[in-house]
Amino acid sequence: MDQKVLKRLVESISKSVNSFKKSEIECFIRIFHNVVGRGDVKLANVGLDRNTFRVILHSIFGMTDDVLMNRVFFAFDKDNDNYINVKEWVKGLSVFLRGTFEEKLKFCFEVYYFNGDGYISRERIYDMLKNSLHQQSPEEETDEGIRELVDIALKKMDYDNDGRISFADFEKAVKEDRLLLEVFGPCLPDAKVQWQQRIGLGEIFKDLKRNPC
C-alpha cells in the first residue's frame, strides 16, 4: 500500500474520528486493505460488501442475528451504495467500539428503524422481538405473547402515545433505563470483546481474505 496515500487517508479520517489514535486508524485501514485485497484500484473506490461484513460481525463480534447484522451494515453504509468504504469502516468502528453513550444511542436507534421515516413502528417492534426471541430459544413464541411484549415496550417507551417510537422517545427511555439501549436485539459488540488485541484480529481478517465468503 502506498505510504503517502495511507498517510493522507489517516490524516483525513482523524479529523472526524476522535476515539482512535492515528496509529489505530492506520491499523484499521491496513486491515480493510487486507480484506478488500485489490491493489489494482484506489482504496477509496473499493468497499466491503454485505456478506463479507456479516462474516466479520459473526467471526469477531459473535453476532448471530441475520436481520440485525444487515441493519448494522446499513448503519455503517452512510452513502447507501451497498458497500462500506474505508472511511465508513473506520468511522463506523469508532462508534461501534468506542462511541460515547449518545453516539451508541443514535446508532442503536438507526439500526432499529427500518423504513427511513425516523420511527420504530409497532410492526417493526413485533418483527424484531419475534426474531430476537427465536434467536434465544428455538421454541416458537405465540403471536399473542409477542403482541403483549410489543404493548409493554410501547407503554414504556412511546411517551407521546402515537403508536410508534421516535428518537426522542427512545432517547428518553434509554436515559431513564440504560438496559433498554439494545431492547430490540443486540447490535453492539459484547463488552468482553477486546479490540486492542489487534494482532489476533489481523490474523482473522487475513483468513477472511484468503477464504472469501
Side-chain angles (χ1 to χ4, degrees), residues 30-181:
R30 289 183 181 278
I31 289 173
F32 179 91
H33 187 261
N34 284 341
V35 176
V36 174
R38 294 179 61 187
D40 58 326
V41 292
K42 292 182 179 180
L43 190 59
N45 296 334
V46 297
L48 298 171
D49 61 30
R50 195 189 317 181
N51 287 338
T52 303
F53 187 70
R54 281 162 53 98
V55 172
I56 292 169
L57 291 178
H58 177 69
S59 301
I60 307 301
F61 303 112
M63 295 185 70
T64 58
D65 189 318
D66 290 337
V67 173
L68 289 179
M69 283 195 287
N70 284 337
R71 291 300 306 163
V72 170
F73 173 85
F74 289 118
F76 270 64
D77 179 24
K78 295 299 184 184
D79 61 6
N80 299 312
D81 67 349
N82 289 314
Y83 287 91
I84 295 173
N85 63 43
V86 65
K87 291 184 178 180
E88 291 170 335
W89 162 251
V90 178
K91 290 180 181 180
L93 287 177
S94 72
V95 175
F96 199 56
L97 297 169
R98 291 191 191 161
T100 64
F101 172 72
E102 293 290 342
E103 287 173 333
K104 289 184 176 180
L105 192 152
K106 291 177 182 178
F107 178 85
C108 288
F109 184 79
E110 188 174 353
V111 169
Y112 292 147
Y113 81 80
F114 284 59
N115 54 10
D117 65 356
Y119 293 90
I120 305 173
S121 67
R122 175 182 286 272
E123 293 74 21
R124 292 304 181 190
I125 295 172
Y126 176 90
D127 291 341
M128 287 188 290
L129 288 177
K130 183 176 182 179
N131 184 65
S132 181
L133 289 169
H134 179 70
Q135 292 285 329
Q136 295 173 30
S137 172
E139 295 182 8
E140 287 290 330
E141 183 74 25
T142 65
D143 287 345
E144 183 178 352
I146 297 172
R147 278 193 286 270
E148 288 177 358
L149 292 174
V150 172
D151 289 339
I152 292 170
L154 284 170
K155 185 176 181 180
K156 189 170 184 64
M157 304 180 77
D158 178 22
Y159 288 93
D160 56 6
N161 298 311
D162 64 351
R164 56 187 183 175
I165 298 173
S166 65
F167 177 72
D169 290 332
F170 188 74
E171 180 180 34
K172 184 175 181 179
V174 174
K175 284 185 174 180
E176 290 181 0
D177 183 356
R178 295 201 175 194
L179 292 176
L180 295 174
L181 181 63

